[in-house]
Amino acid sequence: AAGVIQSPRHLIKEKRETATLKCYPIPRHDTVYWYQQGPGQDPQFLISFYEKMQSDKGSIPDRFSAQQFSDYHSELNMSSLELGDSALYFCASSINRGQWTGELFFGEGSRLTVL
Amino acid sequence: EDQVTQSPEALRLQEGESSSLNCSYTVSGLRGLFWYRQDPGKGPEFLFTLYSAGEEKEKERLKATLTKKESFLHITAPKPEDSATYLCAVQGGNNQGGKLIFGQGTELSVKP
């Protein structure tokens, strides 16, 4: 079965550089979520999109932006990277219309290291 | 503000030693409470959704229960392969596509 696909899996950047993470949700899923998970931390919600429109916003820095495209894939853009941005970034997708179960399907994550 | 607190932070069990994990929550209009399992370096894997107080769900050696203030994940006769971090999360309100708020997790280690 198709899963959530994230790329790249690993990314190393210098401070003040820019990074872009991509997420391809499971086909026919209408909602995409982005989470940031630091070492030993719980996943922190960044932003979500329902049917390509931003549906909720969490603790996402102003330096970060995200969007969902017509083919439902999503990109998280991070600029002016700081050391504290080093983390695992997870994308998840779900179905929110019709029979809602609340099940989020998570990707394998993109590990960002800022040096 | 929606909040989730899990306890204990870490739990070490012998194989076959049953125990429970706790998740206390405060949320405006609970839409659902979720349990996820996370292995190191992997994305969380969905286990259960509970919608209302009194509800119970079971899956193999795991059983999740829900009250108005907390949820328990009971592990019966655990095996080493049950070792993982167990995350509790809540979603409130009526916002489709709304955020899930996660707890810090309980790191479970089951020794043979």
Side-chain angles (χ1 to χ4, degrees):
Chain A
V4 175
I5 298 172
Q6 291 187 245
S7 67
R9 293 293 312 280
H10 301 274
L11 191 59
I12 299 175
K13 290 287 185 178
E14 300 280 339
K15 281 196 316 184
R16 292 180 287 278
E17 285 191 321
T18 298
T20 298
L21 307 181
K22 295 185 178 182
C23 169
Y24 296 84
I26 293 172
R28 293 181 292 282
H29 280 199
D30 53 29
T31 307
V32 167
Y33 306 78
W34 283 98
Y35 281 85
Q36 177 192 58
Q37 188 173 29
Q41 304 292 314
D42 56 295
Q44 292 292 313
F45 173 76
L46 294 177
I47 196 166
S48 61
F49 295 88
Y50 172 67
E51 287 292 349
K52 294 169 281 186
M53 299 287 289
Q54 182 180 309
S55 55
D56 207 345
K57 197 170 181 179
S59 50
I60 183 170
D62 291 340
R63 300 177 289 108
F64 292 10
S65 65
Q67 56 182 325
Q68 188 175 27
F69 295 86
S70 58
D71 64 351
Y72 286 88
H73 95 272
S74 178
E75 294 185 4
L76 178 66
N77 298 295
M78 301 175 283
S79 62
S80 302
L81 287 170
E82 301 174 356
L83 296 178
D85 296 330
S86 296
L88 257 178
Y89 290 83
F90 288 107
C91 174
S93 72
S94 71
I95 297 176
N96 271 280
R97 60 177 175 272
Q99 187 69 23
W100 176 80
T101 66
E103 180 174 359
L104 266 62
F105 294 80
F106 282 81
E108 292 287 292
S110 293
R111 183 173 294 280
L112 171 67
T113 302
V114 182
L115 302 176
Chain B
E1 183 179 331
D2 299 347
Q3 192 168 358
V4 177
T5 304
Q6 292 186 244
S7 62
E9 289 186 8
L11 181 61
R12 292 184 179 183
L13 300 174
Q14 288 296 128
E15 185 172 1
E17 181 186 0
S18 301
S19 187
S20 295
L21 282 55
N22 177 264
C23 170
S24 298
Y25 66 91
T26 54
V27 65
S28 301
L30 181 69
R31 194 166 185 232
L33 182 141
F34 313 92
W35 283 98
Y36 282 81
R37 168 192 170 128
Q38 186 174 27
D39 293 298
K42 303 277 190 177
E45 178 186 342
F46 174 80
L47 293 173
F48 304 109
T49 302
L50 300 166
Y51 300 100
S52 57
E55 190 174 359
E56 298 182 353
K57 293 264 178 83
E58 285 190 69
K59 180 180 180 180
E60 296 181 355
R61 295 176 292 282
L62 301 177
K63 178 180 177 181
T65 62
L66 181 65
T67 72
K68 289 186 178 180
K69 294 182 179 180
E70 57 191 352
S71 176
F72 292 94
L73 184 66
H74 308 276
I75 303 177
T76 302
K79 298 182 178 182
E81 53 261 42
D82 294 322
S83 298
T85 295
Y86 290 84
L87 296 166
C88 174
V90 296
Q91 186 181 48
N94 296 312
N95 184 10
Q96 283 183 309
K99 61 190 175 190
L100 265 65
I101 303 298
F102 282 88
Q104 292 272 11
T106 293
E107 186 177 353
L108 175 66
S109 175
V110 182
K111 300 297 183 186

